[in-house]
Amino acid sequence: MPGIDKLPIEETLEDSPQTRSLLGVFEEDATAISNYMNQLYQAMLRIYDAQNELSAATHLTSKLLKEYEKQRFPLGGDDEVMSSTLQQFSKVIDELSSCHAVLSTQLADAMMFPITQFKERDLKEILTLKEVFQIASNDHDAAINRYSRLSKKRENDKVKYEVTEDVYTSRKKQHQTMMHYFCALNTLQYKKKIALLEPLLGYMQAQISFFKMGSENLNEQLEEFLTNIGTSVQNVRREMDNDVETMQQTIEDLEVASDPLYVPDPDPMKFPVNRNLTRKAGYLNARNKTGLVSSTWDRQFYFTQGGNLMSQARGDVAGGLAMDIDNCSVMAVDCEDRRYCFQITSFDGKKSSILQAESKKDHEEWICTINNISKQIYLSENPEEIAARVNQSALEAVTPSPSFQQRHESLRPAVQSRPLTARTSSSGSLGSESTNLAALSLDSLVAPDTPIQFDIISPVCEDQPGQAKAFGQGGRRTNPFGESGGGTKSETEDSILHQLFIVRFLGSMEVKSDDNPDVVYETMRQILAARAIHNIFRMTESHLLVTCDCLKLIDPQTQVTRLTFPLPSVVLYATHQENKRLFGFVLRTSGGRSESNLSSVCYIFESNNEGEKICDSVGLAKQIALHAELDRRASEKQKEIERVKEKQQKELSKQKQIEKDLEEQSRLIAASSRPNQASSEGQFVVLSSSQSEESDLGEEGKKRESEA
């Protein structure tokens, strides 16, 4: 190592300017060393802190890997391979954490301690000696200055002694301080090299020791383990790349295919309605009433689950039951000037919900799906296939093809021996109907090309005068409970029976027969099939009032009578054999399609599971009406007998009066026939004209009696 420059200690007493100049160079060097060592200290402190942080982080990593098997990830599942792999990694990392802890200790002892000692002890000693030397130098200069000002003329031994003593003391202090200061500056040149090399040596030795410990821990088994893990990672990365490529391709395909679906109401020609669904899910707007006239619409996700309609708000883990849709009724409604609204009513009529679909396609598919679920088609093994068969059977039943008509004409002579195939399939779609209907021709029940009326037409319309006369007058407000609102009595107020039911009109059509319940069943089948084919889901809700005189359809809002059916004209009524919500009756009216003969019209309704009750009520009304008619006839006959008896009694009393008058006249005639007989007063008896007339009448009466 080359020689080191030194300050001459022996020249400290002389304190020449050259010495002071050389001292200034050493002081600048000491300042530069102090600045550099402070920066080096900060760098090594960062290494030490980083090593401590690495050791703590490695230990925490090992701890977290050990706790992996205790974690419960929603999508991770129980992956035993991953758990065992991470346990192996935790052991290796735990050993590395121990090595890092040892390295941290070695760095603290071999690197940080020497440089800290140099910074805190040696550099601070130089600064302290510099300050002390500066003070001593200033004191010496002041003492020399006072000594130089001693008076030559007026010498004072005491003052001279004090000044001389002060110079001695200050020069001695300066000399001693300067020698120690020069010694410290000379020593700093050696300590500087030691302070630079010793921390670096400790750092390298600590790292070498750390690497040796790592090489001892890294054995062949660990190398094999790491190789296997690396291969697994590459396989997972390759699988991820393939999956990402597949997903990207799927995204591109979906973007192209879903472009028309971004429109809220897609073209029904491109996306036809599927009427065979038994399950459906999607967002709907639900109407919630918040007051008498106010309401809010909440967007929720709805889905069908078996016979239940479930709803789930966004963010909920699971859905909740919205409504039981087994045997329910669904129809399109107009609500608050919103499009695509439909109403679901439970089987008992106690709960209803109004929902809004986003498009016409969703609107019709929701209604068809709920209708299929209401028929409990979902309980079969192949629900969609059965729903398609029902819809196809309904299509063939209502809109027959020419080939079907020709086949039907060819089978007409043998109709008694083999039932029609189309009739059998259609009856299976609506329930098990009676075996007699299978042997009947369609033309014997329903007139060919009969139009179906799906809505209620007021009987006062000008285009149906015959029907208006047959049904009676409508358009008048009626209290359905028979209470009179004014001075005049309603025509049903005196009726014994008043029963009110909520019904929905499905349709009506003219029939050719009214003596068999199969007519009602066949009409139900054709009307329901026609509604399904032509997408007619709206039904007019009314109140059906059953009395002993008539059946009335009353508007539930305005209480205006829509239609009145005279009870004697209701010749047949029946409910569906399986779906008890459906019922119908046949009304015999005059006119119709043939103005000269009577016609029969079958009306089909849907109720809130009260079809049998309505039919029983109609039957009870007809029985009451029959007994009332019999009582009326018996009363009229009794009155006729009493009138005859009264007339005979009057004739008898009149005859007795005539006989009495005749006897009186005979007596008077006998008295007047005596000759020359006069009264004592000389007056004669003269018959009045009235008496003569009565006598003539009496003679005529005697003649009639003799002739009798």
Side-chain angles (χ1 to χ4, degrees):
M1 186 173 289
I4 299 175
D5 296 329
K6 297 181 180 180
L7 287 170
I9 299 176
E10 58 274 6
E11 296 179 1
T12 53
L13 182 60
E14 184 180 358
D15 194 16
S16 63
Q18 290 79 7
T19 304
R20 286 290 184 119
S21 178
L22 186 60
L23 177 62
V25 175
F26 273 78
E27 287 179 346
E28 290 179 2
D29 185 72
T31 303
I33 291 174
S34 177
N35 293 334
Y36 178 78
M37 294 304 292
N38 283 330
Q39 295 178 6
L40 184 62
Y41 172 80
Q42 293 296 329
M44 291 185 175
L45 182 62
R46 290 181 63 184
I47 293 175
Y48 177 69
D49 292 340
Q51 184 59 41
N52 287 334
E53 181 65 25
L54 179 60
S55 176
T58 308
H59 178 70
L60 179 61
T61 303
S62 174
K63 181 180 179 182
L64 291 176
L65 292 179
K66 290 180 181 179
E67 295 178 353
Y68 176 82
E69 60 182 359
K70 299 179 181 180
Q71 303 297 320
R72 293 295 179 265
F73 299 100
L75 299 179
D78 296 332
D79 193 348
E80 296 181 358
V81 177
M82 180 62 72
S83 299
S84 61
T85 302
L86 294 182
Q87 288 296 323
Q88 184 69 22
F89 266 115
S90 68
K91 294 179 181 178
V92 176
I93 294 176
D94 194 16
E95 294 177 358
L96 291 177
S97 176
S98 300
C99 295
H100 282 293
V102 173
L103 177 59
S104 297
T105 303
Q106 291 178 351
L107 290 178
D109 295 337
M111 182 182 71
M112 293 306 300
F113 179 75
I115 195 170
T116 303
Q117 286 291 101
F118 176 75
K119 178 178 176 292
E120 298 293 335
R121 185 182 64 184
D122 299 332
L123 292 179
K124 284 187 176 181
E125 181 183 3
I126 294 296
L127 293 176
T128 303
L129 289 175
K130 181 180 180 180
E131 294 176 358
V132 172
F133 169 71
Q134 190 67 36
I135 295 171
S137 178
N138 294 334
D139 292 343
H140 179 261
D141 292 341
I144 292 296
N145 190 17
R146 286 196 301 272
Y147 179 78
S148 300
R149 292 199 304 267
L150 286 176
S151 176
K152 183 172 65 171
K153 296 179 180 182
R154 293 179 298 174
E155 290 186 0
N156 189 341
D157 295 337
K158 183 178 180 181
V159 173
K160 183 179 179 180
Y161 176 78
E162 291 178 357
V163 172
T164 303
E165 188 68 25
D166 190 14
V167 170
Y168 171 80
T169 304
S170 62
R171 181 171 291 177
K172 182 180 179 180
K173 181 178 179 182
Q174 178 188 359
H175 185 231
Q176 292 177 352
T177 304
M178 194 172 184
M179 287 189 297
H180 288 289
Y181 184 38
F182 278 24
C183 181
L185 288 174
N186 291 334
T187 308
L188 182 63
Q189 300 302 314
Y190 296 97
K191 292 182 178 179
K192 173 182 70 174
K193 297 178 180 180
I194 296 172
L196 284 173
L197 297 177
E198 190 174 10
L200 296 177
L201 180 62
Y203 173 75
M204 295 305 298
Q205 290 177 349
Q207 293 291 344
I208 292 172
S209 176
F210 173 74
F211 292 146
K212 286 183 178 180
M213 287 188 295
S215 63
E216 293 175 359
N217 293 329
L218 184 62
N219 50 26
E220 294 182 358
Q221 185 178 1
L222 182 59
E223 289 182 358
E224 183 180 358
F225 169 72
L226 295 178
T227 303
N228 294 334
I229 295 302
T231 304
S232 300
V233 170
Q234 293 299 326
N235 294 333
V236 172
R237 186 180 298 278
R238 193 179 303 110
E239 183 179 355
M240 180 190 69
D241 294 337
N242 295 334
D243 198 7
V244 168
E245 184 179 356
T246 304
M247 288 189 293
Q248 290 293 338
Q249 185 63 36
T250 303
I251 290 173
E252 294 177 1
D253 296 340
L254 288 177
E255 285 179 351
V256 175
S258 302
D259 187 67
L261 296 178
Y262 297 148
V263 181
D265 198 357
D267 187 4
M269 301 300 295
K270 296 181 180 179
F271 302 94
V273 178
N274 188 357
R275 309 183 186 282
N276 306 327
L277 298 175
T278 56
R279 292 183 299 173
K280 187 168 177 61
Y283 280 97
L284 296 172
N285 293 328
R287 180 174 179 265
N288 298 320
K289 295 193 68 176
T290 57
L292 295 177
V293 295
S294 60
S295 61
T296 59
W297 294 82
D298 296 332
R299 180 176 171 83
Q300 290 187 349
F301 186 81
Y302 284 83
F303 60 95
T304 60
Q305 190 176 57
N308 298 324
L309 179 65
M310 314 292 288
S311 65
Q312 184 176 1
R314 184 173 295 176
D316 290 349
V317 178
L321 177 63
M323 182 178 292
D324 182 5
I325 54 178
D326 272 340
N327 297 321
C328 73
S329 62
V330 58
M331 61 179 177
V333 295
D334 293 330
C335 185
E336 297 183 4
D337 196 23
R338 285 180 175 244
R339 301 184 302 167
Y340 312 134
C341 294
F342 59 95
Q343 179 175 352
I344 308 173
T345 306
S346 61
F347 71 96
D348 54 1
K350 295 181 179 179
K351 184 177 182 181
S352 63
S353 179
I354 296 178
L355 304 173
Q356 181 190 18
E358 190 176 85
S359 63
K360 183 178 181 181
K361 176 179 178 293
D362 285 346
H363 177 256
E364 295 183 5
E365 285 187 351
W366 271 108
I367 293 178
C368 293
T369 303
I370 294 174
N371 270 326
N372 293 335
I373 295 175
S374 176
K375 298 173 185 176
Q376 298 183 349
I377 297 178
Y378 68 92
L379 296 176
S380 58
E381 294 182 357
N382 299 317
E384 293 191 2
E385 181 181 349
I386 293 177
R389 193 184 307 149
V390 169
N391 293 331
Q392 184 63 27
S393 300
L395 180 63
E396 293 177 357
V398 178
T399 55
S401 62
S403 60
F404 176 81
Q405 293 179 354
Q406 294 173 2
R407 184 167 67 252
H408 177 68
E409 293 293 336
S410 63
L411 293 176
R412 183 174 294 178
V415 70
Q416 297 294 334
S417 60
R418 184 167 57 91
L420 293 179
T421 305
R423 181 67 190 97
T424 305
S425 62
S426 62
S427 63
S429 65
L430 285 176
S432 57
E433 301 181 0
S434 61
T435 57
N436 296 331
L437 184 59
L440 295 177
S441 173
L442 294 177
D443 290 345
S444 64
L445 296 177
V446 180
D449 302 329
T450 303
I452 299 176
Q453 179 179 323
F454 293 108
D455 202 357
I456 296 176
I457 300 177
S458 177
V460 296
C461 294
E462 295 180 359
D463 56 347
Q464 294 181 353
Q467 191 178 6
K469 293 178 182 179
F471 292 165
Q473 298 299 325
R476 180 174 59 85
R477 292 186 181 272
T478 303
N479 192 327
F481 299 100
E483 298 177 359
S484 177
T488 60
K489 293 185 178 181
S490 64
E491 59 183 358
T492 61
E493 185 177 356
D494 295 334
S495 176
I496 300 176
L497 181 65
H498 283 84
Q499 289 190 348
L500 190 69
F501 302 94
I502 298 176
V503 297
R504 289 169 289 279
F505 181 69
L506 294 176
S508 64
M509 60 187 300
E510 187 174 344
V511 295
K512 297 181 65 175
S513 174
D514 57 7
D515 56 356
N516 194 329
D518 296 333
V519 177
V520 180
Y521 304 150
E522 176 64 20
T523 305
M524 289 180 181
R525 185 187 66 81
Q526 292 204 22
I527 289 177
L528 291 176
R531 277 182 168 268
I533 291 173
H534 299 294
N535 300 331
I536 302 175
F537 302 108
R538 180 175 301 177
M539 295 181 287
T540 304
E541 184 171 286
S542 304
H543 289 168
L544 178 64
L545 179 62
V546 180
T547 66
C548 299
D549 301 324
C550 60
L551 306 180
K552 284 188 177 184
L553 284 180
I554 301 172
D555 191 301
Q557 302 293 332
T558 61
Q559 297 300 316
V560 173
T561 301
R562 290 173 173 169
L563 286 179
T564 301
F565 306 101
L567 194 61
S569 300
V570 179
V571 296
L572 181 64
Y573 49 91
T575 183
H576 197 277
Q577 294 177 334
E578 293 183 356
N579 190 352
K580 300 305 179 182
R581 295 183 292 110
L582 300 179
F583 75 97
F585 58 83
V586 178
L587 191 75
R588 185 180 297 171
T589 61
S590 60
R593 302 181 72 185
S594 177
E595 295 293 340
S596 60
N597 300 323
L598 294 176
S599 63
S600 299
V601 180
C602 185
Y603 291 83
I604 304 301
F605 296 87
E606 182 189 43
S607 65
N608 296 333
N609 207 25
E610 296 178 340
E612 292 183 344
K613 292 182 180 180
I614 296 175
C615 291
D616 293 342
S617 179
V618 174
L620 179 61
K622 291 186 73 68
Q623 290 181 4
I624 294 175
L626 177 61
H627 288 297
E629 181 66 21
L630 294 177
D631 293 342
R632 186 185 64 80
R633 292 181 180 179
S635 177
E636 289 181 355
K637 187 174 182 180
Q638 184 66 28
K639 289 180 179 180
E640 184 67 24
I641 294 174
E642 290 178 356
R643 283 198 299 271
V644 171
K645 288 183 178 180
E646 184 179 358
K647 186 176 180 181
Q648 291 178 355
Q649 188 67 26
K650 288 182 179 180
E651 290 290 339
L652 184 58
S653 61
K654 187 176 181 181
Q655 185 65 29
K656 290 182 178 180
Q657 184 65 32
I658 292 173
E659 291 178 356
K660 185 177 179 181
D661 292 341
L662 289 176
E663 290 178 358
E664 183 66 24
Q665 289 178 3
S666 299
R667 186 178 62 78
L668 293 174
I669 292 171
S672 61
S673 63
R674 295 174 184 174
N676 299 324
Q677 183 177 1
S679 61
S680 58
E681 290 86 1
Q683 297 179 350
F684 295 94
V685 177
V686 180
L687 292 174
S688 63
S689 60
S690 61
Q691 290 178 346
S692 61
E693 291 176 358
E694 291 178 356
S695 62
D696 295 337
L697 291 173
E699 292 177 358
E700 292 178 359
K702 289 182 179 181
K703 289 181 180 181
R704 285 198 299 268
E705 290 178 357
S706 62
E707 291 176 357

